[in-house]
mmCIF file of all heavy atoms in Angstrom:
data_model
loop_
_atom_site.group_PDB
_atom_site.id
_atom_site.type_symbol
_atom_site.label_atom_id
_atom_site.label_comp_id
_atom_site.label_asym_id
_atom_site.label_seq_id
_atom_site.Cartn_x
_atom_site.Cartn_y
_atom_site.Cartn_z
ATOM 1 N N TYR A 189 -97.443 -154.117 -41.949
ATOM 2 C CA TYR A 189 -97.954 -155.134 -42.862
ATOM 3 C C TYR A 189 -99.109 -154.631 -43.736
ATOM 4 O O TYR A 189 -99.645 -155.386 -44.539
ATOM 5 C CB TYR A 189 -98.419 -156.397 -42.120
ATOM 6 C CG TYR A 189 -97.307 -157.160 -41.447
ATOM 7 C CD1 TYR A 189 -97.480 -157.669 -40.165
ATOM 8 C CD2 TYR A 189 -96.093 -157.387 -42.084
ATOM 9 C CE1 TYR A 189 -96.476 -158.381 -39.522
ATOM 10 C CE2 TYR A 189 -95.086 -158.099 -41.460
ATOM 11 C CZ TYR A 189 -95.275 -158.586 -40.179
ATOM 12 O OH TYR A 189 -94.284 -159.285 -39.561
ATOM 13 N N SER A 190 -99.509 -153.372 -43.602
ATOM 14 C CA SER A 190 -100.624 -152.856 -44.402
ATOM 15 C C SER A 190 -100.125 -152.227 -45.696
ATOM 16 O O SER A 190 -98.967 -151.829 -45.810
ATOM 17 C CB SER A 190 -101.409 -151.813 -43.603
ATOM 18 O OG SER A 190 -100.630 -150.635 -43.430
ATOM 19 N N ARG A 191 -101.022 -152.102 -46.667
ATOM 20 C CA ARG A 191 -100.686 -151.460 -47.944
ATOM 21 C C ARG A 191 -100.303 -149.994 -47.722
ATOM 22 O O ARG A 191 -99.355 -149.488 -48.323
ATOM 23 C CB ARG A 191 -101.868 -151.556 -48.898
ATOM 24 C CG ARG A 191 -101.596 -150.980 -50.278
ATOM 25 C CD ARG A 191 -102.796 -151.119 -51.188
ATOM 26 N NE ARG A 191 -102.958 -152.493 -51.659
ATOM 27 C CZ ARG A 191 -103.898 -153.330 -51.209
ATOM 28 N NH1 ARG A 191 -104.744 -152.948 -50.265
ATOM 29 N NH2 ARG A 191 -103.987 -154.567 -51.686
ATOM 30 N N ALA A 192 -101.035 -149.317 -46.824
ATOM 31 C CA ALA A 192 -100.755 -147.905 -46.557
ATOM 32 C C ALA A 192 -99.359 -147.709 -45.974
ATOM 33 O O ALA A 192 -98.647 -146.765 -46.334
ATOM 34 C CB ALA A 192 -101.798 -147.329 -45.602
ATOM 35 N N SER A 193 -98.931 -148.608 -45.088
ATOM 36 C CA SER A 193 -97.600 -148.452 -44.502
ATOM 37 C C SER A 193 -96.507 -148.760 -45.512
ATOM 38 O O SER A 193 -95.398 -148.228 -45.431
ATOM 39 C CB SER A 193 -97.439 -149.343 -43.257
ATOM 40 O OG SER A 193 -97.367 -150.717 -43.609
ATOM 41 N N GLY A 194 -96.814 -149.611 -46.509
ATOM 42 C CA GLY A 194 -95.851 -149.844 -47.582
ATOM 43 C C GLY A 194 -95.656 -148.598 -48.421
ATOM 44 O O GLY A 194 -94.532 -148.248 -48.798
ATOM 45 N N GLU A 195 -96.761 -147.891 -48.702
ATOM 46 C CA GLU A 195 -96.668 -146.654 -49.470
ATOM 47 C C GLU A 195 -95.908 -145.587 -48.685
ATOM 48 O O GLU A 195 -95.020 -144.918 -49.225
ATOM 49 C CB GLU A 195 -98.067 -146.150 -49.822
ATOM 50 C CG GLU A 195 -98.059 -144.871 -50.642
ATOM 51 C CD GLU A 195 -99.453 -144.397 -50.991
ATOM 52 O OE1 GLU A 195 -100.434 -145.081 -50.623
ATOM 53 O OE2 GLU A 195 -99.568 -143.328 -51.623
ATOM 54 N N THR A 196 -96.267 -145.442 -47.400
ATOM 55 C CA THR A 196 -95.588 -144.449 -46.568
ATOM 56 C C THR A 196 -94.110 -144.765 -46.419
ATOM 57 O O THR A 196 -93.252 -143.885 -46.482
ATOM 58 C CB THR A 196 -96.250 -144.392 -45.178
ATOM 59 O OG1 THR A 196 -97.634 -144.063 -45.321
ATOM 60 C CG2 THR A 196 -95.577 -143.354 -44.294
ATOM 61 N N GLY A 197 -93.807 -146.065 -46.212
ATOM 62 C CA GLY A 197 -92.411 -146.474 -46.070
ATOM 63 C C GLY A 197 -91.605 -146.205 -47.316
ATOM 64 O O GLY A 197 -90.455 -145.761 -47.251
ATOM 65 N N MET A 198 -92.201 -146.451 -48.493
ATOM 66 C CA MET A 198 -91.494 -146.215 -49.747
ATOM 67 C C MET A 198 -91.219 -144.730 -49.946
ATOM 68 O O MET A 198 -90.131 -144.343 -50.400
ATOM 69 C CB MET A 198 -92.317 -146.758 -50.915
ATOM 70 C CG MET A 198 -91.547 -146.789 -52.223
ATOM 71 S SD MET A 198 -90.149 -147.940 -52.140
ATOM 72 C CE MET A 198 -89.355 -147.611 -53.702
ATOM 73 N N GLN A 199 -92.174 -143.895 -49.586
ATOM 74 C CA GLN A 199 -91.970 -142.455 -49.704
ATOM 75 C C GLN A 199 -90.812 -142.000 -48.813
ATOM 76 O O GLN A 199 -89.990 -141.180 -49.212
ATOM 77 C CB GLN A 199 -93.257 -141.711 -49.334
ATOM 78 C CG GLN A 199 -94.382 -141.906 -50.333
ATOM 79 C CD GLN A 199 -95.711 -141.378 -49.817
ATOM 80 O OE1 GLN A 199 -95.773 -140.756 -48.760
ATOM 81 N NE2 GLN A 199 -96.770 -141.637 -50.557
ATOM 82 N N ARG A 200 -90.742 -142.556 -47.607
ATOM 83 C CA ARG A 200 -89.655 -142.187 -46.699
ATOM 84 C C ARG A 200 -88.315 -142.659 -47.236
ATOM 85 O O ARG A 200 -87.310 -141.933 -47.186
ATOM 86 C CB ARG A 200 -89.890 -142.775 -45.308
ATOM 87 C CG ARG A 200 -88.972 -142.185 -44.236
ATOM 88 C CD ARG A 200 -89.076 -142.911 -42.925
ATOM 89 N NE ARG A 200 -88.318 -144.152 -42.933
ATOM 90 C CZ ARG A 200 -86.998 -144.234 -42.818
ATOM 91 N NH1 ARG A 200 -86.270 -143.132 -42.728
ATOM 92 N NH2 ARG A 200 -86.386 -145.394 -42.815
ATOM 93 N N LEU A 201 -88.273 -143.874 -47.770
ATOM 94 C CA LEU A 201 -87.024 -144.408 -48.310
ATOM 95 C C LEU A 201 -86.525 -143.579 -49.494
ATOM 96 O O LEU A 201 -85.325 -143.325 -49.627
ATOM 97 C CB LEU A 201 -87.211 -145.861 -48.741
ATOM 98 C CG LEU A 201 -87.384 -146.882 -47.607
ATOM 99 C CD1 LEU A 201 -87.799 -148.236 -48.174
ATOM 100 C CD2 LEU A 201 -86.105 -147.011 -46.792
ATOM 101 N N LEU A 202 -87.436 -143.166 -50.357
ATOM 102 C CA LEU A 202 -87.030 -142.361 -51.510
ATOM 103 C C LEU A 202 -86.499 -141.000 -51.091
ATOM 104 O O LEU A 202 -85.699 -140.386 -51.804
ATOM 105 C CB LEU A 202 -88.210 -142.180 -52.462
ATOM 106 C CG LEU A 202 -88.630 -143.443 -53.223
ATOM 107 C CD1 LEU A 202 -89.902 -143.195 -54.016
ATOM 108 C CD2 LEU A 202 -87.516 -143.921 -54.143
ATOM 109 N N THR A 203 -86.918 -140.552 -49.904
ATOM 110 C CA THR A 203 -86.411 -139.278 -49.383
ATOM 111 C C THR A 203 -85.056 -139.444 -48.726
ATOM 112 O O THR A 203 -84.138 -138.649 -48.951
ATOM 113 C CB THR A 203 -87.409 -138.692 -48.364
ATOM 114 O OG1 THR A 203 -88.660 -138.447 -49.014
ATOM 115 C CG2 THR A 203 -86.885 -137.371 -47.791
ATOM 116 N N THR A 204 -84.912 -140.495 -47.916
ATOM 117 C CA THR A 204 -83.672 -140.683 -47.159
ATOM 118 C C THR A 204 -82.585 -141.396 -47.957
ATOM 119 O O THR A 204 -81.403 -141.227 -47.673
ATOM 120 C CB THR A 204 -83.944 -141.481 -45.867
ATOM 121 O OG1 THR A 204 -84.479 -142.777 -46.214
ATOM 122 C CG2 THR A 204 -84.935 -140.744 -44.978
ATOM 123 N N ALA A 205 -82.984 -142.207 -48.933
ATOM 124 C CA ALA A 205 -81.999 -142.979 -49.709
ATOM 125 C C ALA A 205 -82.427 -143.052 -51.166
ATOM 126 O O ALA A 205 -82.794 -144.123 -51.677
ATOM 127 C CB ALA A 205 -81.843 -144.382 -49.123
ATOM 128 N N PRO A 206 -82.392 -141.930 -51.888
ATOM 129 C CA PRO A 206 -82.851 -141.910 -53.280
ATOM 130 C C PRO A 206 -82.020 -142.779 -54.216
ATOM 131 O O PRO A 206 -82.448 -143.044 -55.340
ATOM 132 C CB PRO A 206 -82.757 -140.428 -53.652
ATOM 133 C CG PRO A 206 -81.754 -139.847 -52.698
ATOM 134 C CD PRO A 206 -81.928 -140.603 -51.430
ATOM 135 N N ASP A 207 -80.843 -143.237 -53.760
ATOM 136 C CA ASP A 207 -79.994 -144.072 -54.608
ATOM 137 C C ASP A 207 -80.259 -145.567 -54.422
ATOM 138 O O ASP A 207 -79.520 -146.397 -54.950
ATOM 139 C CB ASP A 207 -78.519 -143.775 -54.331
ATOM 140 C CG ASP A 207 -78.143 -144.049 -52.875
ATOM 141 O OD1 ASP A 207 -79.040 -144.002 -51.997
ATOM 142 O OD2 ASP A 207 -76.941 -144.293 -52.617
ATOM 143 N N LEU A 208 -81.313 -145.940 -53.684
ATOM 144 C CA LEU A 208 -81.594 -147.362 -53.486
ATOM 145 C C LEU A 208 -81.891 -148.014 -54.840
ATOM 146 O O LEU A 208 -82.384 -147.366 -55.768
ATOM 147 C CB LEU A 208 -82.765 -147.542 -52.523
ATOM 148 C CG LEU A 208 -84.151 -147.014 -52.929
ATOM 149 C CD1 LEU A 208 -84.927 -148.006 -53.772
ATOM 150 C CD2 LEU A 208 -84.967 -146.660 -51.691
ATOM 151 N N ASP A 209 -81.575 -149.300 -54.953
ATOM 152 C CA ASP A 209 -81.829 -149.981 -56.227
ATOM 153 C C ASP A 209 -82.690 -151.235 -56.073
ATOM 154 O O ASP A 209 -82.910 -151.963 -57.037
ATOM 155 C CB ASP A 209 -80.523 -150.313 -56.958
ATOM 156 C CG ASP A 209 -79.582 -151.181 -56.141
ATOM 157 O OD1 ASP A 209 -80.011 -151.698 -55.085
ATOM 158 O OD2 ASP A 209 -78.424 -151.342 -56.555
ATOM 159 N N ALA A 210 -83.192 -151.499 -54.859
ATOM 160 C CA ALA A 210 -84.106 -152.619 -54.632
ATOM 161 C C ALA A 210 -84.747 -152.442 -53.264
ATOM 162 O O ALA A 210 -84.189 -151.768 -52.385
ATOM 163 C CB ALA A 210 -83.368 -153.959 -54.694
ATOM 164 N N VAL A 211 -85.913 -153.042 -53.085
ATOM 165 C CA VAL A 211 -86.615 -152.984 -51.797
ATOM 166 C C VAL A 211 -87.133 -154.376 -51.449
ATOM 167 O O VAL A 211 -87.787 -155.032 -52.274
ATOM 168 C CB VAL A 211 -87.794 -151.998 -51.831
ATOM 169 C CG1 VAL A 211 -88.532 -152.007 -50.481
ATOM 170 C CG2 VAL A 211 -87.325 -150.587 -52.150
ATOM 171 N N PHE A 212 -86.832 -154.819 -50.248
ATOM 172 C CA PHE A 212 -87.380 -156.063 -49.712
ATOM 173 C C PHE A 212 -88.491 -155.681 -48.735
ATOM 174 O O PHE A 212 -88.231 -155.125 -47.679
ATOM 175 C CB PHE A 212 -86.278 -156.869 -49.005
ATOM 176 C CG PHE A 212 -86.805 -157.941 -48.085
ATOM 177 C CD1 PHE A 212 -87.767 -158.832 -48.511
ATOM 178 C CD2 PHE A 212 -86.309 -158.062 -46.790
ATOM 179 C CE1 PHE A 212 -88.263 -159.816 -47.661
ATOM 180 C CE2 PHE A 212 -86.780 -159.046 -45.933
ATOM 181 C CZ PHE A 212 -87.756 -159.925 -46.362
ATOM 182 N N ALA A 213 -89.741 -155.952 -49.112
ATOM 183 C CA ALA A 213 -90.882 -155.645 -48.246
ATOM 184 C C ALA A 213 -91.294 -156.901 -47.486
ATOM 185 O O ALA A 213 -91.328 -158.000 -48.060
ATOM 186 C CB ALA A 213 -92.054 -155.112 -49.072
ATOM 187 N N ALA A 214 -91.638 -156.747 -46.221
ATOM 188 C CA ALA A 214 -91.898 -157.902 -45.363
ATOM 189 C C ALA A 214 -93.309 -158.464 -45.496
ATOM 190 O O ALA A 214 -93.662 -159.391 -44.776
ATOM 191 C CB ALA A 214 -91.621 -157.527 -43.906
ATOM 192 N N SER A 215 -94.135 -157.928 -46.404
ATOM 193 C CA SER A 215 -95.445 -158.527 -46.665
ATOM 194 C C SER A 215 -95.892 -158.150 -48.072
ATOM 195 O O SER A 215 -95.441 -157.151 -48.639
ATOM 196 C CB SER A 215 -96.486 -158.052 -45.642
ATOM 197 O OG SER A 215 -96.960 -156.752 -45.948
ATOM 198 N N ASP A 216 -96.802 -158.950 -48.616
ATOM 199 C CA ASP A 216 -97.309 -158.683 -49.969
ATOM 200 C C ASP A 216 -98.047 -157.350 -50.032
ATOM 201 O O ASP A 216 -97.916 -156.603 -51.009
ATOM 202 C CB ASP A 216 -98.251 -159.811 -50.410
ATOM 203 C CG ASP A 216 -97.515 -161.119 -50.661
ATOM 204 O OD1 ASP A 216 -96.276 -161.075 -50.830
ATOM 205 O OD2 ASP A 216 -98.166 -162.170 -50.688
ATOM 206 N N LEU A 217 -98.850 -157.042 -49.014
ATOM 207 C CA LEU A 217 -99.597 -155.790 -49.022
ATOM 208 C C LEU A 217 -98.666 -154.583 -49.005
ATOM 209 O O LEU A 217 -98.883 -153.595 -49.702
ATOM 210 C CB LEU A 217 -100.550 -155.728 -47.830
ATOM 211 C CG LEU A 217 -101.880 -156.469 -47.982
ATOM 212 C CD1 LEU A 217 -102.677 -156.398 -46.684
ATOM 213 C CD2 LEU A 217 -102.688 -155.906 -49.135
#
Side-chain angles (χ1 to χ4, degrees):
Y189 294 137
S190 69
R191 183 179 285 106
S193 71
E195 181 179 358
T196 301
M198 191 65 186
Q199 291 169 7
R200 193 188 79 77
L201 289 170
L202 289 174
T203 299
T204 60
D207 60 335
L208 64 85
D209 58 11
V211 178
F212 163 49
S215 79
D216 290 342
L217 279 176

